[in-house]
Amino acid sequence: MEGITFDKRFFDSTRGQIVTLLRSAPCTVEELAGKLNLTDNAVRAHLATLERDGLVRQSGLRRGPRKPHFTYVLTEEADRLFPKAYDALLNQLIAVLKTRLEPAEIEDVLREVGRALAADAPAGGNLESRVQTALKVLEAIGGAAEIEQHGDKIVIVSSGCPLAAAVSVHPEVCRLAETLVAEIVKVPVEERCDRTGRPKCRFELSQKES
């Protein structure tokens, strides 16, 4: 990756657009080609370069109508492309709090921060519009989430985490995001994030109004 500059010009390029799309969710070559209006071969060429640079990797197979297709995801190295200047500050803040407060008190503080962040979000509307607001707020703090439906639950999932560096050291930080989402959507929310390897967000929403 030596000599590569990841600035606005990179993210405006085709490879930058691929990185941005993969930040939201794993994609196959065919899916990327459709979203970028490129041929499959053109996408494969860009992916080969991104793989060489250590930014993307293959991750399993997805069934297709005729044959399975490889999916691609971002690597941990790719997370460094996105602004995270707050990581060191947040990690240090939580470390200091742990020397002064009990675990339950730290959780209360994190939830209070989540509520404060949610207070600035637009209020009102039906559940669908509130969920869309939550997605936009998560995006504003560096996340890239999408919605899935699982039975009677709406699930907000992301292939990454806007607080990944902090969560890796202090997993209780997920309580901040859980409360943030719950305050916006106004229904019960349960955090089921994957904190193994590269953290991935998952918030399960009941469709019952709280």
Side-chain angles (χ1 to χ4, degrees), residues 89-162:
L89 177 61
L90 182 56
N91 275 331
Q92 190 60 41
L93 175 61
I94 300 298
V96 170
L97 288 176
K98 284 183 173 180
T99 67
R100 301 188 179 190
L101 302 175
E102 295 297 323
E105 294 175 304
I106 294 172
E107 182 171 324
D108 286 344
V109 169
L110 291 170
R111 290 192 182 280
E112 187 173 341
V113 172
R115 286 189 288 270
L117 289 171
D120 293 329
N126 58 22
L127 178 58
E128 182 179 352
S129 66
R130 297 197 302 270
V131 170
Q132 290 298 327
T133 297
L135 294 185
K136 290 176 183 176
V137 172
L138 289 172
E139 181 179 356
I141 63 172
E146 59 183 16
I147 302 169
E148 294 180 355
Q149 187 78 39
H150 295 271
D152 64 344
K153 290 182 184 292
I154 296 171
V155 182
I156 295 177
V157 297
S158 175
S159 58
C161 170

Side-chain angles (χ1 to χ4, degrees), residues 48-60:
T49 300
L50 290 169
E51 281 190 283
R52 181 201 67 197
D53 292 337
L55 300 179
V56 306
R57 62 178 176 83
Q58 289 183 348
S59 175

Side-chain angles (χ1 to χ4, degrees), residues 13-209:
S13 71
T14 300
R15 288 172 198 161
Q17 291 175 56
I18 289 174
V19 167
T20 300
L21 288 170
L22 292 179
R23 189 186 183 204
S24 298
C27 292
T28 64
V29 168
E30 291 74 14
E31 288 168 341
L32 290 170
K35 292 175 180 179
L36 296 170
N37 197 27
L38 297 172
T39 66
D40 290 0
N41 284 339
V43 169
R44 288 191 184 95
H46 287 300
L47 286 170
T49 300
L50 290 169
E51 281 190 283
R52 181 201 67 197
D53 292 337
L55 300 179
V56 306
R57 62 178 176 83
Q58 289 183 348
S59 175
L61 290 168
R62 184 178 298 168
R63 289 186 178 180
R66 289 179 296 177
K67 63 179 183 179
H69 302 281
F70 282 107
T71 57
Y72 289 83
V73 298
L74 295 186
T75 63
E76 292 183 29
E77 185 70 24
D79 283 333
R80 299 180 187 176
L81 302 185
F82 301 98
K84 292 188 177 178
Y86 56 80
D87 284 344
L89 177 61
L90 182 56
N91 275 331
Q92 190 60 41
L93 175 61
I94 300 298
V96 170
L97 288 176
K98 284 183 173 180
T99 67
R100 301 188 179 190
L101 302 175
E102 295 297 323
E105 294 175 304
I106 294 172
E107 182 171 324
D108 286 344
V109 169
L110 291 170
R111 290 192 182 280
E112 187 173 341
V113 172
R115 286 189 288 270
L117 289 171
D120 293 329
N126 58 22
L127 178 58
E128 182 179 352
S129 66
R130 297 197 302 270
V131 170
Q132 290 298 327
T133 297
L135 294 185
K136 290 176 183 176
V137 172
L138 289 172
E139 181 179 356
I141 63 172
E146 59 183 16
I147 302 169
E148 294 180 355
Q149 187 78 39
H150 295 271
D152 64 344
K153 290 182 184 292
I154 296 171
V155 182
I156 295 177
V157 297
S158 175
S159 58
C161 170
L163 305 171
V167 166
S168 298
V169 181
H170 307 291
E172 58 268 43
V173 171
C174 287
R175 296 289 177 255
L176 186 161
E178 179 188 67
T179 302
L180 169 64
V181 172
E183 287 291 309
I184 294 172
V185 301
K186 307 298 183 188
V187 299
V189 175
E190 188 171 4
E191 173 262 308
R192 295 284 188 180
C193 300
D194 179 0
R195 288 180 281 272
T196 60
R198 182 173 180 251
K200 302 175 183 65
C201 296
R202 182 183 178 93
F203 303 103
E204 297 183 358
L205 286 58
S206 167
Q207 294 195 57
K208 274 188 186 177
E209 301 284 339

